[in-house]
Amino acid sequence: MSLAVRVIPCLDVDDGRVVKGVNFRNLRDAGDPVELAGRYEAMGADELTFLDVTASSGGRATMLDVVSRTAEQIFIPLTVGGGVRTPADVDQLLRAGADKCGVNTAAIARPEVITEIAERFGNQVLVLSIDARRVTEDTPDGPARTGSGFEVTTHGGRRGTGIDALEWIAEVTRLGAGEILLNSMDADGTEDGFDLELIRGARAATTLPLIASGGAGTAAHFPPAVEAGADAVLAASVFHFGQMTIGDAKDSLSAAGIPVR
């Protein structure tokens, strides 16, 4: 019996408010994170992810406050990412009430931080977040096509790294990550469906649990992502702006014969 697929709403938090845009641009206000977290738990969300989109040192105190107020209200696992650079940052967030921490840019800059966090806290707390985009030709900020055709990016997909996304997934698996949050920067916010080719490539590159993110527009988009290899599906705007409920997503998965909680 395969494990039940998790449905995870993602809240992009900017200065204490939830925001959402398309491809990380034109952000608009989507509400209070603590209130939304409670609403999503009541709707049947399996987990919640908070991403601190400003993640400056000035925003850290605000985020810790949001995390602790949310953790007091909900009983489902809470992952927090954005600006997590060191084991000390992870320690702060776990003490505030986070269950897991997402690491992205810091791991690209210094991959050994993955092992440091995993050894200190256990790899179950470490969600390695990857913003991947298709690279088919030379780009102004980086080299030509990577071997897989997918490149790791930073700065909300605006900056290429030249790192092959699928090779990076294999590397972070080896270094001790506990889970992969894979976001397609091409699909993010478009509501045209998940990047199935990217998910299939990632599934072949790792045995870790894989969370697919970027592109959910209708409930029908979720089953193909799982069939391509995702263990969990994550979405933001479609939930925030009422286009579908957590229940709709789970009904669609269930109807496709995929076990849900």
Side-chain angles (χ1 to χ4, degrees):
M1 172 69 180
S2 56
L3 290 173
V5 167
R6 292 166 287 150
V7 177
I8 307 173
C10 178
L11 288 73
D12 294 329
V13 182
D14 181 4
D15 199 25
R17 298 288 294 176
V18 176
V19 295
K20 191 59 197 168
V22 177
N23 299 121
F24 285 78
R25 295 176 177 82
N26 305 320
L27 298 178
R28 53 184 173 146
D29 189 280
D32 172 63
V34 183
E35 195 181 302
L36 273 172
R39 197 183 309 164
Y40 285 137
E41 180 177 54
M43 275 187 192
D46 298 304
E47 294 186 13
L48 275 175
T49 295
F50 278 5
L51 291 181
D52 183 355
V53 294
T54 35
S56 61
S57 51
R60 177 59 53 81
T62 305
M63 194 62 177
L64 288 170
D65 174 60
V66 167
V67 169
S68 65
R69 287 189 295 121
T70 303
E72 284 167 13
Q73 298 292 323
I74 66 168
F75 298 96
I76 53 176
L78 175 62
T79 300
V80 183
V84 178
R85 296 179 183 91
T86 64
D89 293 337
V90 173
D91 189 50
Q92 266 195 319
L93 285 164
L94 295 177
R95 287 174 190 275
D99 297 285
K100 301 188 248 187
C101 291
V103 178
N104 184 344
T105 311
I108 295 165
R110 208 174 67 81
E112 53 269 32
V113 77
I114 297 170
T115 309
E116 290 166 9
I117 292 168
E119 285 180 351
R120 179 162 166 193
F121 303 102
N123 72 346
Q124 76 284 348
V125 310
L126 180 55
V127 179
L128 206 292
S129 183
I130 297 172
D131 293 333
R133 71 172 178 201
R134 289 170 183 270
V135 189
T136 51
E137 58 199 24
D138 282 334
T139 57
D141 57 354
R145 181 182 178 89
T146 59
S148 69
F150 293 101
E151 178 188 28
V152 176
T153 69
T154 60
H155 299 79
R158 290 187 292 278
R159 196 171 295 178
T161 60
I163 298 168
D164 184 293
L166 303 188
E167 288 175 11
W168 179 236
I169 287 169
E171 175 70 358
V172 302
T173 301
R174 188 184 66 75
L175 289 169
E179 194 166 21
I180 306 277
L181 168 53
L182 181 63
N183 189 34
S184 164
M185 297 312 300
D186 303 301
D188 181 76
T190 63
E191 301 179 15
D192 293 332
F194 293 91
D195 188 327
L196 303 181
E197 186 190 348
L198 175 61
I199 296 168
R200 281 191 287 268
R203 179 73 288 155
T206 185
T207 53
L208 294 178
L210 187 62
I211 305 166
S213 166
T218 71
H221 287 150
F222 291 102
V226 176
E227 286 152 7
D231 300 283
V233 282
L234 178 144
S237 31
V238 287
F239 294 142
H240 302 338
F241 299 118
Q243 288 148 270
M244 79 170 95
T245 64
I246 306 288
D248 294 336
K250 290 192 171 187
D251 288 348
S252 177
L253 288 163
S254 232
I258 295 164
V260 292
R261 293 177 187 180

